[in-house]
């Protein structure tokens, strides 16, 4: 039999109902593995003490056969999602001591479902990055090769799922932050349609892109978690009202592939993996052109800088978080922000201030906004011809820690994932096997197998089509 | 071209301080990053005039101020976070 911590949500829910284990056994199994593996991986910033009343009430609901699938299931939660009474630092020094005063919308839903929280996971500070190297509390290592990054920004959540420290996890995705680490760690990650999931109580990075979503061991689990957290929330003005909730599902016949994006970007073995995975699915494959997709990455970063600098303006050392004092009130702000924010946060604050400044806003921000509208039109047109669009999730497998210290080279890794954030489309990353890379920890020339993901995007609110094709990748 | 003066100006606007050691690095990186993001101007608009028209009709996304929570239920937790306080009031430096 599988170890308890290795189970999926669906398997663990079955084991709990079959009385093969108790809620307590399941949580203890995960906590024990978390404590053993976290020293090496640094996936968790904090492993919570067991919440006895939550365990007892979940067990009672299971015993009374009155429980949802997530009841009693331990989950890892990214450190930018508020759980009342727990620290939520977004992996930043400026919020190191900040204790959440309320539950995020998604946490309320998970508590109602009876889910348990194992701990809070490491991330790039304020969700700025793509490797978890920008965390103020150290990098999260990849469970497949600890000399490599776990991806980011939800690197802690993805590494925790891949290392079987947790049954499943929540991440957030601004430009690929769920799908990128899912690809690097060999797990499933879903970025839902913009507005599908509440962001109330989620520390904002770039508000017109951010979504919360599941990171799981299987596509089936991603659906279970998504179905639990989705839905309108009056506390998030961007969440989709019930009247506009339309679950779209049509039969998948054609996959579109924007092959023109692959030149100069993809490693040869990545392309080979991708091509054979697509071929095995057995659908008609059509080449499509998204002419604005390449410059869209530039538009993404302009908008990201602008929104990040705006969102991070609220942290001033006054009401909560790090408070460094100087001679004047202005010094108080400057000292708190300078010592509180890490390098990438400061870099994006400066760049955002620049692209929004009078004299430059037309050339940068407004241009980017127009490019975004153009990209959205091009995708709408593509979806008239094809049902789903596929690319690799990332151009490469996980890279070595420290290899991309130049910020621009890291930004360029996001070329495929940002398209879904710019347009609001849902997108999923599903493992498509492994590629080989050298292993620096041995001198014997032994190569390391590194997981890589395939990426599908669908029209707004068509998550079910992503689950359907994801299941097909799993089974072929 | 990013310059010392420009980056310092941005830092002042953004209420952060850039130390000298970091300044040079930021200037170099900003030139590379800005040169890259300028490629956004290569996007060809299929309907250049219609960006504004295509935006969905404005609707009020603000929630009605109908059911406020009971006064004071969050006060204690919020005040606990204050770096300096006087009773339930946040203490800050005198500005006048």
């Amino acid at each position: 039999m599988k170890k308890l911590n290795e189970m999926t949500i669906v398997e663990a829910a079955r084991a709990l109902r079959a009385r093969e284990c108790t809620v307590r056994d399941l949580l203890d199994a995960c906590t024990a593995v978390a404590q053993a593996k976290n020293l090496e991986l640094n996936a968790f910033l904090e492993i919570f003490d067991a919440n006895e009343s939550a365990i007892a009430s979940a067990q009672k609901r299971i015993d009374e056969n009155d429980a949802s699938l997530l009841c009693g299931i331990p989950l890892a939660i990214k450190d930018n999602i508020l759980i009342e009474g727990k620290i939520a630092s977004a992996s930043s020094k400026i919020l190191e001591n900040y204790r959440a005063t309320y539950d995020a919308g998604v946490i309320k839903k998970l508590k109602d479902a009876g889910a348990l929280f194992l701990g809070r996971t490491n991330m790039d500070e304020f969700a700025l990055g793509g490797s978890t190297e920008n965390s103020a509390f150290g990098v999260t290592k990849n469970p497949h090769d600890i000399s490599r990054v776990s991806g980011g920004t939800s690197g802690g959540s993805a590494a925790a799922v891949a290392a079987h420290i947790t049954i499943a996890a929540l991440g957030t995705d601004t430009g690929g932050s769920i799908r990128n680490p899912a690809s690097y760690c060999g797990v499933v990650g879903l970025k839902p349609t913009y507005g599908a999931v509440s962001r109330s109580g989620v520390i904002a990075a770039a508000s017109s892109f951010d979504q919360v979503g599941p990171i799981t061991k299987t596509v089936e689990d991603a659906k279970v978690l998504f179905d639990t957290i989705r839905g309108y929330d009056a506390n998030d003005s961007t969440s989709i009202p019930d009247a506009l909730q339309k679950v779209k599902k049509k039969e998948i016949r054609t996959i579109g592939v924007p092959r023109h994006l692959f030149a100069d970007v993809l490693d040869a073995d990545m392309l080979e993996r991708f091509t054979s995975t697509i071929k095995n699915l057995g659908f008609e494959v059509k080449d499509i052109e998204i002419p604005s997709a390449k410059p869209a990455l530039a538009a993404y970063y302009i908008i990201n800088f602008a929104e990040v600098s705006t969102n991070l303006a609220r942290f001033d050392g006054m009401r909560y978080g790090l408070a460094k004092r100087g001679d004047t009130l202005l010094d108080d702000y400057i000292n708190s922000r300078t010592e509180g924010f890490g390098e990438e946060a400061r870099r994006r604050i400066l760049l955002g201030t620049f692209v929004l400044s009078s004299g430059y806003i037309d050339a940068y921000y407004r241009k980017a906004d127009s490019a975004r509208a153009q990209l959205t039109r091009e995708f709408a047109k593509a979806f008239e011809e094809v049902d789903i669009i596929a690319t690799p999730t990332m151009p490469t497998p996980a890279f070595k820690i420290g290899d991309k210290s130049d910020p621009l080279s890291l930004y360029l890794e996001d070329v495929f994932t940002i398209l879904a954030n710019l347009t609001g489309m849902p997108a999923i990353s599903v493992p498509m096997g492994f590629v080989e890379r050298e292993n620096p920890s041995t001198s014997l020339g032994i190569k390391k197998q590194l997981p890589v993901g395939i990426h599908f995007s669908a029209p707004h609110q068509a998550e079910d089509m992503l689950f359907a094709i994801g299941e097909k990748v799993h089974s072929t | 071209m990013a310059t010392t003066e420009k980056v310092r100006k941005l830092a002042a606007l953004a209420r952060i301080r850039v130390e000298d050691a970091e300044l040079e690095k930021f200037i170099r990186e900003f030139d590379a990053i800005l040169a890259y993001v300028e490629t956004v101007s290569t996007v060809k608009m299929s309907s250049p005039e219609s960006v504004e028209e295509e935006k969905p009709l404005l609707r009020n996304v603000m929630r009605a101020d109908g059911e406020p929570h009971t006064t004071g239920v969050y006060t204690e937790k919020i005040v606990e976070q204050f770096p300096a306080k006087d009773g339930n009031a946040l203490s800050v430096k005198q500005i006048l």
Side-chain angles (χ1 to χ4, degrees), chain A residues 84 98-99 237 297 318-319 326 329-330 332 335 337-338 343 346-347 349 364 369-370 374 377, chain B residues 14-15 17 22 25 29 36 38 44-47 54-55 61 77 81-83 90 93 95:
Chain A
E84 190 183 333
Y98 171 70
R99 221 167 257 285
S237 64
L297 182 59
M318 287 295 119
R319 292 148 298 157
L329 186 65
L330 181 62
D332 291 357
N335 291 350
R337 288 168 63 77
T338 303
E343 183 179 318
R346 279 178 288 133
R347 183 180 289 116
I349 288 170
Y364 291 94
D369 203 30
S370 302
Q374 174 64 22
R377 279 196 290 266
Chain B
R15 304 285 188 260
R17 190 168 45 239
E22 211 170 39
K25 182 165 173 269
E29 288 167 354
Y36 175 72
E38 273 162 21
K44 288 194 184 63
M45 305 299 289
S46 56
S47 47
E54 280 179 21
K55 288 197 171 152
V61 295
K77 283 179 201 151
Q81 304 281 332
F82 290 170
L90 171 67
K93 286 199 170 74
I95 51 167

Side-chain angles (χ1 to χ4, degrees), chain A residues 2 5 44 83 85 94 130 168 188 196 206-207 222 257 322 340 365 381 417 426 475:
Chain A
K2 252 188 187 175
N5 58 297
F44 281 93
I83 306 175
I94 209 163
V188 175
S207 303
V257 178
L322 185 76
Y365 183 74
K381 192 159 166 282
T417 50
S475 61

